[in-house]
Amino acid sequence: MHSEKYKKLVWEKKEDRVILAELLRQGEVVISSTDTVYGFLAPLEPKSYKRIQELKKTRDQRPFLILVGSLEKIYHFVDGKNITDRMKRFLSTCWPGPVTVIFRAREGLPHFLVSERGTVALRVPSHEGLLSLLSEFDGLFSTSSNRTGEVTPASFS
């Protein structure tokens, strides 16, 4: 294995964020700090979905959380007619932040993004570096970087 592939990048360095964005555009799965836990980040592609399942050692077919960079980006995943002014006010009070909201998924989304119940889980994180990265994507998969059933890691190492 090439050691560059496992280089530790830091959010504060713009050149590291550029590298991270490029890795994600290439379909790579990365481990990252977030505003909650260390987690896997990956592009919203079937290959990435399967790779995260392999890393977590899960056979569960549930979709993963999708991080988005702003309230406006939820419309890639949710039908706008289902978002009332009241809902927008609620979301603006808890986002960015560690609150995941389950929405009825927009028609036509790929199956690996949508639960059996026809829902999608979205969150706008409160993490400056991650928000900067998310501005370049419609959304990214996110889930804790532990294997299913194991303790969530408290540090990168």
Side-chain angles (χ1 to χ4, degrees):
M1 291 184 212
H2 192 271
S3 63
E4 274 298 301
K5 188 172 184 179
Y6 299 103
K7 178 182 176 186
K8 185 174 180 180
L9 306 173
V10 292
W11 286 113
E12 294 76 23
K13 295 170 94 178
K14 182 177 179 174
E15 57 270 19
D16 283 2
R17 291 193 311 268
V18 169
I19 292 168
L20 184 56
E22 185 56 31
L23 287 169
L24 290 164
R25 277 193 276 284
Q26 293 171 11
E28 297 289 337
V29 175
V30 300
I31 296 175
S32 171
S33 63
T34 69
D35 59 335
T36 54
V37 298
Y38 282 87
F40 294 119
L41 296 178
L44 302 178
E45 301 170 356
K47 179 180 131 188
S48 301
Y49 176 77
K50 289 180 188 207
R51 181 65 182 132
I52 294 172
Q53 285 182 311
E54 291 168 2
L55 290 166
K56 290 185 74 72
K57 299 205 181 293
T58 182
R59 297 198 189 282
D60 193 342
Q61 295 299 308
R62 290 181 297 169
F64 299 111
L65 164 68
I66 298 172
L67 295 179
V68 294
S70 67
L71 177 60
E72 293 74 29
K73 288 201 176 188
I74 70 171
Y75 298 108
H76 293 283
F77 309 97
V78 178
D79 187 336
K81 68 182 176 195
N82 296 327
I83 307 297
T84 65
D85 287 340
R86 184 176 179 196
M87 175 61 89
K88 287 179 195 173
R89 284 191 303 276
F90 166 74
L91 293 172
S92 69
T93 64
C94 58
W95 283 351
V99 177
T100 299
V101 180
I102 309 297
F103 295 93
R104 172 93 18 228
R106 194 183 88 206
E107 290 282 326
L109 285 180
H111 69 90
F112 59 90
L113 298 180
V114 181
S115 76
E116 292 176 352
R117 297 177 127 170
T119 60
V120 63
L122 303 173
R123 183 161 67 86
V124 177
S126 179
H127 185 288
E128 189 176 320
L130 191 47
L131 286 172
S132 172
L133 177 70
L134 285 164
S135 70
E136 300 183 41
F137 297 89
D138 290 340
L140 293 171
F141 283 129
S142 180
T143 185
S144 59
S145 59
N146 58 299
R147 289 191 171 130
T148 300
E150 293 184 6
V151 177
T152 304
S155 70
F156 182 79
S157 56

